[in-house]
Amino acid sequence: MYPDYNSDQNRSDYEYHYSYRSDADGFRAAQTPAPIAPKKTRRAGKILACVLCGVLLVGGAFGAGWYSNRDSGRNETRMMVSERPRAEVETVSVTGGTLLTFSQVYDANVDSCVSINTSGTAAVGYNIFGQQIQREFASAGSGFILTADGYIATNCHVIENASSVHVTLNDGSTYEAQIIGSDSDYDVAILKVDPGETRLKPVTIGTSASLKVGEDVSTIGNPLGQLTFSLSHGVVSCLNREINLDGTPFNMIQMDVNINPGNSGGPLFNQYGEVVGIVTAKTSSTGSGDAAEGLGFAIPIDDVLSMLKDIMENGKVTSHAWMGIAGQSVSYYPQSGMRTGVYVGEVTAGGPAEQAGLQEGDVITMLGTTAISSWSDLTSAMGSKTYKAGDTATVTYVRDGQVLTTELTFGSTADMPRETDAQPSDRQDSSGGQGDAYYDNYGSMEDFFNQFFGGYGQRAS
């Protein structure tokens, strides 16, 4: 039998007394006591609640913005436009003492450059009946203003055979130009426009002697005859590069500036904005057909500046050297007993050769330090721009089997006599006629070949 623990007799101080009541009879607690949380726990809850509210607010704003942009994007196209201030090019003057950026070179010189458009009629050959075929042509080139009253420099081949020449300035002004004169040996020409009361802006002439390989250069021209006043720039690739253009030797500035038809006659600028050359040719292929790109050439301004002035003053170059003889390669005269040299067929009375003591029948074998084996050698030596009117050179010649020398002072081609009724002759004179009679006007067999099958250099326009 179990003891009665509810009786007072069996209670102990160490016993836990409780009573059991079932909830089956529908008992409901009147109030559930709220748990008392520590203070730190309540503070963390507040912080968490604030963070959650913030996240909800930010997320809601982002979602609303995204939805709005998505919705508005259906009806509107937006571009992001930079608010960076536009770069301004400082207008500068060419002083020769300040290095300029390409933008500054352009800004300082574009009003001094011109585009040139020509038209005329040129002979293109003969038909089967021996009649000369003529065709009309139109061409374009570039140039630059030399003086404020309208003298303009360009290439000879730009205005060759032209009956009409028009010059356009950067501001759109167009003038009819007069051809003052030209020189095919140096490929230079001078035009003149009448600007009226307007004073044109001339370029500043520098010196090509100061150029160095790798130096920045640029040109402003009229490529393709349509893209007027375009700037091209690059570096000097080589100096004193000897090339052959249409049978004429030139010592050129070689560069990697982009040169195209229409750029001919334009100015070549150095880093100071000064004109140091005249753009004249581009090589696109060799005689063998190998393609070439990035090769342009310009005539050094030092070589032609005096000639430009000469044409402005006299209408032609008067400084070309003149010997005053007529002759031919000695191979045409086996009776001379010589294999190489130039046979003197005639001596102009009172001319430089006569004054130097040369006579008919002499055989010239050397001019200065240049060996002369044919007539083309003699004309090349004189046409290489080594000698000018007034220069003196030692002439080595053979007379009656004896080697002799004499000092010859060149005259000017402007002073040589003109024989209006002269009959054609197999002999060539020393006025710059090129080559033996058989290769008339080609200079040599090599020039003759290059003329028909392609040479090293090609004109840019």
Side-chain angles (χ1 to χ4, degrees), residues 95-390:
T95 63
T98 304
L99 286 172
L100 306 178
T101 65
F102 288 123
S103 295
Q104 290 173 330
V105 170
Y106 183 86
D107 189 64
N109 287 288
V110 66
D111 292 332
S112 304
C113 299
V114 302
S115 64
I116 300 173
N117 292 278
T118 71
S119 61
T121 304
V124 295
Y126 297 87
N127 60 22
I128 59 175
F129 302 105
Q131 298 171 324
Q132 194 174 61
I133 301 173
Q134 301 279 338
R135 69 170 176 86
E136 294 183 353
F137 71 87
S139 64
S142 304
F144 54 97
I145 299 169
L146 290 174
T147 65
D149 59 346
Y151 282 97
I152 295 170
T154 187
N155 283 145
C156 174
H157 74 267
V158 169
I159 52 87
E160 191 172 18
N161 297 318
S163 58
S164 174
V165 180
H166 287 85
V167 168
T168 302
L169 276 61
N170 183 46
D171 63 2
S173 303
T174 299
Y175 301 92
E176 185 172 358
Q178 174 189 0
I179 300 175
I180 299 300
S182 61
D183 188 90
S184 59
D185 287 348
Y186 286 81
D187 198 19
V188 292
I190 292 292
L191 306 177
K192 178 68 170 66
V193 300
D194 182 8
E197 298 298 322
T198 303
R199 304 292 289 175
L200 303 183
K201 182 181 179 181
V203 297
T204 299
I205 303 295
T207 173
S208 52
S210 64
L211 284 176
K212 298 183 183 301
V213 173
E215 183 175 339
D216 288 333
V217 287
S218 58
T219 185
I220 300 173
N222 184 23
L224 306 181
Q226 302 177 39
L227 307 177
T228 55
F229 305 101
S230 295
L231 174 75
S232 299
H233 64 82
V235 299
V236 175
S237 303
C238 184
L239 296 170
N240 299 316
R241 175 72 77 188
E242 184 174 341
I243 67 170
N244 188 300
L245 289 176
D246 301 336
T248 302
F250 283 86
N251 289 322
M252 294 280 197
I253 301 167
Q254 180 186 328
M255 56 198 173
D256 68 353
V257 179
N258 289 327
I259 303 300
N260 293 282
N263 277 116
S264 282
L268 183 69
F269 299 107
N270 63 11
Q271 301 173 90
Y272 299 89
E274 302 166 325
V275 175
V276 292
I278 302 177
V279 175
T280 190
K282 173 191 177 181
T283 292
S284 58
S285 64
T286 64
S288 61
D290 296 330
E293 290 295 336
L295 293 177
F297 298 92
I299 303 170
I301 196 66
D302 292 356
D303 289 356
V304 295
L305 183 58
S306 63
M307 296 177 187
L308 295 175
K309 295 177 180 177
D310 203 358
I311 296 174
M312 290 169 62
E313 295 171 1
N314 303 298
K316 59 185 175 181
V317 175
T318 61
S319 59
H320 283 310
W322 173 54
M323 287 186 67
I325 67 169
Q328 206 169 18
S329 296
V330 75
S331 57
Y332 289 90
Y333 297 86
Q335 68 273 21
S336 66
M338 299 284 293
R339 290 189 174 183
T340 61
V342 167
Y343 184 88
V344 178
E346 294 180 13
V347 177
T348 304
E354 185 183 68
Q355 295 177 17
L358 292 176
Q359 301 175 7
E360 182 179 344
D362 291 343
V363 177
I364 299 174
T365 59
M366 187 170 289
L367 180 63
T369 58
T370 303
I372 305 298
S373 60
S374 65
W375 180 261
S376 62
D377 286 345
L378 181 61
T379 56
S380 293
M382 294 180 62
S384 66
K385 308 165 183 64
T386 302
Y387 300 108
K388 296 181 176 63

Side-chain angles (χ1 to χ4, degrees), residues 356-358 363 365-366 368 393-399 402-408:
L358 292 176
V363 177
T365 59
M366 187 170 289
T394 300
V395 179
T396 303
Y397 62 99
V398 176
R399 178 186 295 170
Q402 293 185 341
V403 179
L404 306 171
T405 61
T406 184
E407 298 298 309
L408 183 145

